[in-house]
Amino acid sequence: MSDQIKFIVDNLNKEPFRKNYNLITFDSLEPMQLLQILNDVLAEIDPKQVVDIREEMPEHTAKRMLSLLGILKYKPPGNATDMSTFRQGLVIGSKPVIYPVLHWLLQRTNELKKRAYLARFLIKLEVPSEFLQDETVADTNKQYEELMEAFKTLHKECEQLKTSGFSTAEIRRDISAMEDEKDQLIKRVERLKKRVETVQNHQRMLKIARQLRVEKEREEFLAQQKQEQKNQLFHAVQRLQRVQNQLKSMRHTAADAKPESLMKRLEEEIKFNSYMVTEKFPKELESKKKELHFLQKVVSEPAMGHSDLLELESNINEINTQINQLIEKKMMRNEPIEGKLSLYRQQASIISRKKEAKAEELQEAKEKLASLEREVSVKTNQTREFDGTEVLKGDEFKRYVSKLRSKSTVFKKKHQIIAEFKAEFGLLQRTEELLKQRHENIQHQLRTIEEKKGISGYSYTQEELERVSALKSEVDEMKGRTLDDMSEMVKKLNSLVSEKKSALAPVIKELRQLRQKCQELTQECDEKKSQYDSCAAGLESNRSKLEQEVRGLHEECLQEESRYHYTNCMIKNLEVQLRRATDEMKAYVSSDQQEKRKAIRQQFTKNIAEQENLGKKLREKQKAVRESHGPNMKQAKMWRDFEQLMECKKQCFLKQQSQTSIGQD
């Protein structure tokens, strides 16, 4: 413990704290001063903690310090019970709690500064799932997560650059190598210029080469811009699909929602919340108060010995026997009304226990549902980032699978038909080629025969005449056929018009009736819609009022709970002070000398006596120094004069020796 305090004092006396403490002054600090020192150290780690704790409530100070220590991952020694004592000690400024925290913080200040800096940007804000249904909130949350990931990557790169360790010698060598390369390139360019100057039109060629380079760079820039636009288009399409899927899901949920179901759900929630506020929470608070009162009573009583425990056990046994006797007397009376009442009481107690158990199960189920919804949202976000598409759910997935199956069967049939067509096309193509070859051979033979007979071109002219006559006959037939077709078409159209009129007459009558009915239904729909809107507005206002009441009751419960914890801590603090005062009085009044020595008064008187003796010795030493100061200063001056005299004699001796040596020469 002394080494720990010494380490804390040494670090507090250094920069940036400069407290100028020693072990005695630091150990004699008040709890409020200790808390202020702890707050100063936390403010050095996180600048947001710069606060004067005298102007802040104790529970706010403890909450703020506990939240920051949780972010910094400080683990207090001990188990869960020690955690409660740790919180109480932090509120009252207890030394056994504050000293280990200061020692831990001052040991790793730089590391904790980095951790606090990262916590400002990497602690994720949990958004409820019902708010994420809104498109703007979901987009903002997604941008927030993307920025957080970008910050992580940038911070990693920055740390890698800091730890990469580029030395100045290596950088200088690189710079010198680059300068050498630059000189070589300048020489090479000069040689190329001299070589190009001999070529004709070299300026024009250089201009064309420059333009070519500019166009290539422009082409690369345009290709890059085209790729970026393609990526933007792809992301926009994905976003559109995602929004469409969200719109479908929202429409699906809105189609199932009815005012009756909404009212029923709200009534169930209101009943559950009112039960929790009016019955469950007050009972728990009352039980905690009773337990606290019992514990305070146990703490206030003196320590019990073995004989006291035996006496208590005998009293408990006597009371149990008396209770059993009273129960037997009651059963002997056998009053039917009391029996019925006891039966009803038992049933009521069983129902209340079941109700409490079901309420706890419902609370646990709600918490589990909320956690599962958060996990589902996280998984959907991960799949969306990985694949870029929405995850299909339930009926949509089944429809998608059935659609894929039908498409696969159609694809197989079409593929088989295409294969048959390809085989038939190959056969027809081959027969066409064979027929073309035979036709060319026959035409060649015919031309040779015509040349032999001296009537070349006869077959061609005959074919042309036959073709023209066939065309003329076809045109004549088409003219006659078109006239007949037109007359038949007119007759058919007239008959069709009359048939359609006769068929549509009853349909038109029904349509008129349906139009009237549609107008009546639209009027009724508008009236019902206005009624629904007014009812929904009234229910919404009632729901908001009930929510405000529940919120106010919850805040009041939290305030009472915080006030309870604060009073509990103050009681503990006063009990500790009272216990110390009683121990001091017992030790001071006691006749035992060892007990008196343990008293704080005796220790302080002993320390005062030691300090007075030390001061007396120091004053005597100061008096002796003052008395011997004048003679000592005179003696020091005489020694300095003696030293100067000896130095002068030395110089004279050296000078005389040099003169005698010159005279001998």
Side-chain angles (χ1 to χ4, degrees):
M1 191 70 178
S2 60
D3 296 335
Q4 193 179 46
I5 297 171
K6 188 176 180 183
F7 176 78
I8 294 168
V9 170
D10 292 338
N11 281 278
L12 289 175
N13 290 333
K14 295 177 184 177
E15 291 289 337
F17 304 107
R18 292 184 294 178
K19 295 293 184 181
N20 196 14
Y21 288 140
N22 55 29
L23 294 175
I24 297 171
T25 55
F26 181 74
D27 192 55
S28 62
L29 290 175
E30 294 292 328
M32 189 66 71
Q33 293 173 341
L34 273 177
L35 285 173
Q36 186 63 50
I37 290 169
L38 178 59
N39 190 74
D40 294 340
V41 175
L42 292 174
E44 179 63 25
I45 293 168
D46 186 5
K48 289 183 179 179
Q49 306 294 323
V50 180
V51 177
D52 190 357
I53 61 172
R54 292 174 295 182
E55 300 174 358
E56 192 178 23
M57 294 292 290
E59 56 267 19
H60 294 170
T61 305
K63 186 176 179 182
R64 178 171 55 80
M65 289 182 178
L66 283 170
S67 62
L68 183 58
L69 290 173
I71 292 169
L72 299 177
K73 296 181 180 178
Y74 173 71
K75 294 180 180 178
N79 50 15
T81 57
D82 292 336
M83 278 296 295
S84 61
T85 57
F86 173 76
R87 292 192 187 94
Q88 293 173 3
L90 192 63
V91 171
I92 63 176
S94 178
K95 291 180 181 179
V97 174
I98 301 293
Y99 286 171
V101 178
L102 285 172
H103 185 262
W104 186 79
L105 292 173
L106 293 170
Q107 269 184 336
R108 43 182 72 82
T109 307
N110 295 324
E111 179 187 350
L112 296 176
K113 280 183 182 179
K114 181 180 175 182
R115 191 175 292 171
Y117 169 73
L118 293 175
R120 290 169 56 193
F121 304 101
L122 296 181
I123 292 178
K124 189 175 179 182
L125 296 174
E126 292 294 336
V127 182
S129 58
E130 58 266 17
F131 294 128
L132 289 174
Q133 299 296 328
D134 191 1
E135 183 181 355
T136 55
V137 176
D139 292 337
T140 307
N141 189 31
K142 188 177 179 184
Q143 291 177 5
Y144 168 66
E145 291 175 355
E146 290 174 355
L147 288 172
M148 190 179 288
E149 294 296 328
F151 175 76
K152 286 181 184 177
T153 54
L154 288 173
H155 183 71
K156 286 180 183 176
E157 291 176 1
C158 179
E159 292 296 323
Q160 287 175 1
L161 288 173
K162 284 181 180 179
T163 57
S164 59
F166 289 114
S167 63
T168 55
E170 291 179 357
I171 295 170
R172 286 173 182 169
R173 282 198 296 272
D174 293 338
I175 291 169
S176 61
M178 288 162 65
E179 287 177 352
D180 294 337
E181 288 178 1
K182 182 182 176 182
D183 296 335
Q184 291 176 5
L185 288 171
I186 290 168
K187 291 177 183 177
R188 189 176 177 185
V189 168
E190 289 177 354
R191 285 199 301 270
L192 289 172
K193 278 184 179 180
K194 289 178 182 178
R195 203 181 285 174
V196 168
E197 285 175 356
T198 58
V199 180
Q200 294 180 357
N201 297 326
H202 67 278
Q203 292 292 336
R204 185 167 173 273
M205 292 174 73
L206 286 172
K207 187 177 179 182
I208 291 167
R210 195 178 297 112
Q211 289 177 356
L212 177 63
R213 180 175 55 79
V214 171
E215 291 298 326
K216 282 186 177 179
E217 290 177 355
R218 189 165 175 271
E219 183 181 2
E220 290 177 358
F221 175 72
L222 290 172
Q224 187 178 1
Q225 196 172 5
K226 183 180 177 182
Q227 187 65 32
E228 289 177 357
Q229 289 179 355
K230 281 184 179 179
N231 293 330
Q232 289 176 1
L233 179 63
F234 177 70
H235 290 305
V237 170
Q238 285 183 346
R239 188 177 175 186
L240 178 63
Q241 290 177 356
R242 190 166 59 251
V243 171
Q244 287 177 352
N245 292 327
Q246 287 180 358
L247 181 62
K248 283 181 183 178
S249 64
M250 290 175 72
R251 282 178 178 172
H252 182 68
T253 54
D256 295 335
K258 293 181 181 178
E260 292 83 3
S261 61
L262 288 172
M263 279 288 295
K264 190 173 181 181
R265 197 181 309 149
L266 287 171
E267 285 176 358
E268 288 176 356
E269 288 182 358
I270 289 164
K271 285 179 181 177
F272 175 72
N273 290 327
S274 61
Y275 168 71
M276 294 293 286
V277 171
T278 57
E279 294 184 16
K280 193 167 186 300
F281 287 153
K283 285 181 182 178
E284 291 181 355
L285 185 63
E286 190 67 28
S287 64
K288 294 290 182 184
K289 284 181 179 178
K290 287 180 180 178
E291 188 177 355
L292 174 65
H293 180 68
F294 178 71
L295 291 173
Q296 287 177 352
K297 189 176 178 182
V298 170
V299 169
S300 62
E301 289 180 356
M304 292 185 180
H306 186 66
S307 60
D308 297 330
L309 290 173
L310 291 173
E311 186 178 354
L312 283 173
E313 285 181 357
S314 63
N315 291 330
I316 289 166
N317 292 326
E318 289 177 0
I319 291 167
N320 286 328
T321 53
Q322 290 176 6
I323 289 167
N324 292 326
Q325 290 174 3
L326 290 171
I327 290 167
E328 289 176 359
K329 287 180 181 179
K330 188 176 180 182
M331 290 175 69
M332 291 293 290
R333 288 178 186 174
N334 196 9
E335 294 180 358
I337 298 170
E338 291 294 329
K340 290 179 181 179
L341 289 174
S342 63
L343 181 63
Y344 291 141
R345 287 196 194 99
Q346 288 177 0
Q347 290 178 356
S349 63
I350 290 166
I351 290 166
S352 64
R353 283 197 294 272
K354 286 183 179 179
K355 192 175 181 182
E356 290 176 358
K358 293 296 178 184
E360 291 177 357
E361 288 178 2
L362 180 60
Q363 190 70 21
E364 291 175 358
K366 282 187 176 181
E367 292 175 357
K368 191 175 181 181
L369 179 62
S371 64
L372 289 173
E373 286 178 352
R374 285 196 293 272
E375 288 179 3
V376 168
S377 63
V378 170
K379 296 293 183 184
T380 51
N381 291 328
Q382 288 177 358
T383 53
R384 194 183 300 154
E385 292 173 0
F386 179 72
D387 195 10
T389 57
E390 288 287 338
V391 179
L392 299 177
K393 300 176 182 176
D395 297 334
E396 293 181 358
F397 184 72
K398 289 178 181 178
R399 287 196 292 271
Y400 178 69
V401 171
S402 62
K403 194 175 179 182
L404 278 178
R405 286 174 181 169
S406 61
K407 284 185 178 180
S408 64
T409 54
V410 172
F411 170 74
K412 288 176 182 177
K413 290 179 182 178
K414 299 290 184 184
H415 189 68
Q416 188 176 1
I417 293 167
I418 289 167
E420 292 175 357
F421 281 154
K422 283 182 178 179
E424 190 175 355
F425 175 73
L427 291 171
L428 292 172
Q429 195 173 11
R430 181 61 181 163
T431 54
E432 184 184 5
E433 289 176 357
L434 293 172
L435 290 171
K436 280 182 179 179
Q437 288 178 1
R438 288 178 66 185
H439 183 263
E440 287 176 358
N441 292 329
I442 291 166
Q443 289 291 330
H444 184 67
Q445 290 175 5
L446 184 62
R447 279 196 295 273
T448 54
I449 292 166
E450 287 176 354
E451 287 175 357
K452 285 179 183 179
K453 299 292 183 179
I455 53 171
S456 60
Y458 175 74
S459 61
Y460 178 71
T461 53
Q462 189 177 2
E463 287 176 358
E464 287 292 323
L465 287 170
E466 288 177 356
R467 189 170 62 80
V468 169
S469 62
L471 286 171
K472 186 176 179 299
S473 62
E474 286 177 359
V475 168
D476 293 336
E477 288 178 359
M478 285 177 67
K479 284 181 180 178
R481 199 182 300 119
T482 51
L483 289 171
D484 295 334
D485 291 338
M486 286 175 70
S487 61
E488 289 178 359
M489 184 68 71
V490 169
K491 290 179 182 178
K492 286 181 181 179
L493 287 171
N494 289 325
S495 63
L496 282 170
V497 168
S498 61
E499 288 176 0
K500 294 291 182 183
K501 281 183 179 179
S502 61
L504 288 171
V507 176
I508 289 168
K509 289 180 181 179
E510 291 179 359
L511 182 63
R512 287 172 184 170
Q513 294 176 359
L514 290 172
R515 281 179 180 172
Q516 291 178 359
K517 194 173 181 180
C518 179
Q519 289 177 359
E520 293 174 358
L521 289 172
T522 51
Q523 290 177 1
E524 188 177 356
C525 179
D526 293 334
E527 291 176 359
K528 297 291 184 182
K529 188 177 180 182
S530 62
Q531 291 177 4
Y532 169 75
D533 291 336
S534 62
C535 181
L539 292 172
E540 185 68 25
S541 63
N542 291 330
R543 186 178 66 83
S544 62
K545 287 178 182 177
L546 290 170
E547 285 180 352
Q548 288 178 0
E549 289 178 3
V550 171
R551 199 179 297 113
L553 290 170
H554 187 62
E555 289 177 356
E556 187 177 354
C557 181
L558 290 175
Q559 289 177 1
E560 293 295 331
E561 189 176 356
S562 65
R563 194 178 295 120
Y564 159 70
H565 287 300
Y566 177 68
T567 53
N568 190 13
C569 294
M570 293 300 292
I571 288 166
K572 292 284 179 67
N573 191 6
L574 292 171
E575 286 176 356
V576 171
Q577 292 179 0
L578 183 62
R579 195 180 299 117
R580 289 176 63 185
T582 52
D583 293 339
E584 179 67 21
M585 286 297 294
K586 285 179 182 178
Y588 183 70
V589 175
S590 178
S591 59
D592 192 0
Q593 293 297 325
Q594 291 182 357
E595 291 290 332
K596 279 192 174 184
R597 287 173 188 169
K598 289 181 183 178
I600 298 171
R601 182 172 180 177
Q602 294 294 330
Q603 292 177 5
F604 278 127
T605 52
K606 185 179 178 182
N607 290 332
I608 289 166
E610 290 177 355
Q611 293 296 325
E612 285 178 353
N613 293 328
L614 183 62
K616 188 175 180 182
K617 290 178 182 178
L618 289 172
R619 282 193 294 273
E620 291 175 356
K621 191 175 181 181
Q622 184 182 10
K623 186 178 179 182
V625 168
R626 282 179 182 174
E627 290 175 355
S628 62
H629 180 262
N632 288 336
M633 292 296 291
K634 189 174 181 181
Q635 189 176 4
K637 187 175 182 301
M638 290 171 69
W639 273 108
R640 284 196 295 272
D641 294 339
F642 179 71
E643 187 179 0
Q644 289 178 2
L645 181 62
M646 295 304 291
E647 185 68 27
C648 183
K649 283 185 177 183
K650 179 182 175 183
Q651 295 293 332
C652 292
F653 178 73
L654 292 172
K655 191 174 181 182
Q656 188 177 4
Q657 274 190 351
S658 63
Q659 286 178 1
T660 54
S661 62
I662 290 167
Q664 287 175 2
D665 292 337

